[in-house]
Amino acid sequence: MVEAQFVDLVGTDPIVQSLVGGIVIAALNLLGASLVFVWRDPSEWALDGALGFAAGIMLAASFTSLILPGIEATPGGSPLPVLAGVLLGALFLDRADSIVPHVHYLLTGRQRADAANPAEQLPISEERLASLVLFVFAITLHNMPEGLAVGVGFGSGDVSNGLALMIAIGVQNIPEGLAVSVAAINAGLDRRLYAVVAGVRAGLVEIPLCVFGAFAVAVASGLLPYAMGFAAGAMLFVISDEIVPETHVRGNERVATLGTMLGVVVMLYLDVVLAA
């Protein structure tokens, strides 16, 4: 059993388990970003399909590994704490997007009316260093829920649930890391520089957030349903507000949708296998 092997390797401490989980998803993010060295010019069709796949995995994981287990962990099985967390997670990302430019603006230059004012931001083509910092900050903000979700999953005490989230988010980090890396290179950033930046960024953000998530719910177990809902709400916001719209603007809606369906199927299969 995968769960037993994982426990044999890293022990039963949820903090240590979340640390390992953070390292795994950060490493897979770096792997995705580094694929530009071997797949130097992936097509928009392939990227949209890959991002659709990532969205499908995150979508299924939000329900099977966060929302439903969060409801089960609530005394009396009330869904209200989890649903409150979902709304708070979505609200947090919504307010953050009013300050930090939407990721797709940084990647494509297409501006949305509800995004941060582009006139207040330096265009990518004008100041490379400033735009790099802005780019990394925006991507980091939208990856924060992933690290938090893995930490909360292990912190819940359900190792199979934590493993499902670790594998799901790690797998979806590969196409996501590739897509962002390609966009950064197309914007004029150096291929090697961005691969390094992506790896450092993922490690500095996702690993401590994993540990924080596990520590928070271990210290205050009453926070668990809210934390699981928060992580799910933030991930659902990213899927709906960023990933899906971005995969439907270049005429590749069908392949993106099929990718999403495949991602949902893969995540549901993983959830069943790991729970067995």
Side-chain angles (χ1 to χ4, degrees):
M1 178 186 284
V2 176
E3 178 181 341
Q5 293 175 340
F6 182 79
V7 171
D8 288 341
L9 285 173
V10 306
T12 58
D13 188 336
I15 305 297
V16 176
Q17 292 174 349
S18 67
L19 174 62
V20 173
I23 293 172
V24 169
I25 64 172
L28 290 173
N29 189 293
L30 174 58
L31 172 63
S34 301
L35 286 178
V36 291
F37 293 112
V38 294
W39 193 9
R40 302 184 70 86
D41 190 26
S43 65
E44 291 182 347
W45 183 89
L47 287 176
D48 286 340
L51 283 175
F53 176 77
I57 285 184
M58 291 175 67
L59 178 62
S62 296
F63 289 93
T64 61
S65 299
L66 290 170
I67 294 177
L68 295 179
I71 293 174
E72 292 174 359
T74 305
S78 172
L80 294 181
V82 174
L83 296 180
V86 169
L87 294 176
L88 287 172
L91 181 62
F92 174 79
L93 264 295
D94 175 66
R95 290 300 83 205
D97 263 343
S98 68
I99 300 171
V100 180
H102 285 265
V103 172
H104 74 260
Y105 168 68
L106 296 173
L107 300 182
T108 67
R110 292 190 297 273
Q111 175 63 11
R112 276 170 37 176
D114 61 344
N117 185 358
E120 298 174 0
Q121 312 296 338
L122 289 172
I124 290 177
S125 60
E126 292 185 9
E127 284 290 343
R128 184 175 182 179
L129 180 60
S131 63
L132 175 60
V133 172
L134 186 63
F135 183 89
V136 171
F137 183 66
I139 296 298
T140 297
L141 176 67
H142 290 77
N143 279 356
M144 285 172 58
E146 300 167 6
L148 182 62
V150 173
V152 170
F154 282 115
S156 69
D158 187 340
V159 178
S160 63
N161 193 38
L163 278 173
L165 281 165
M166 181 190 76
I167 295 172
I169 290 175
V171 169
Q172 72 88 30
N173 265 353
I174 297 175
E176 187 176 80
L178 172 63
V180 173
S181 192
V182 168
I185 292 165
N186 290 341
L189 303 182
D190 180 74
R191 192 178 299 267
R192 288 168 296 181
L193 171 64
Y194 185 73
V196 172
V197 168
V200 172
R201 172 195 59 76
L204 290 179
V205 174
E206 292 177 334
I207 294 175
L209 273 174
C210 282
V211 175
F212 171 77
F215 178 78
V217 298
V219 171
S221 58
L223 290 177
L224 179 60
Y226 296 95
M228 297 183 89
F230 184 93
M235 290 206 322
L236 289 171
F237 186 93
V238 171
I239 295 166
S240 178
D241 193 61
E242 294 288 349
I243 300 180
V244 172
E246 182 57 30
T247 59
H248 283 65
V249 297
R250 290 183 287 263
N252 299 318
E253 295 91 342
R254 182 58 54 83
V255 69
T257 299
L258 292 175
T260 301
M261 298 302 297
L262 178 61
V264 168
V265 169
V266 169
M267 181 58 212
L268 292 176
Y269 178 78
L270 286 174
D271 188 71
V272 172
V273 169
L274 292 173

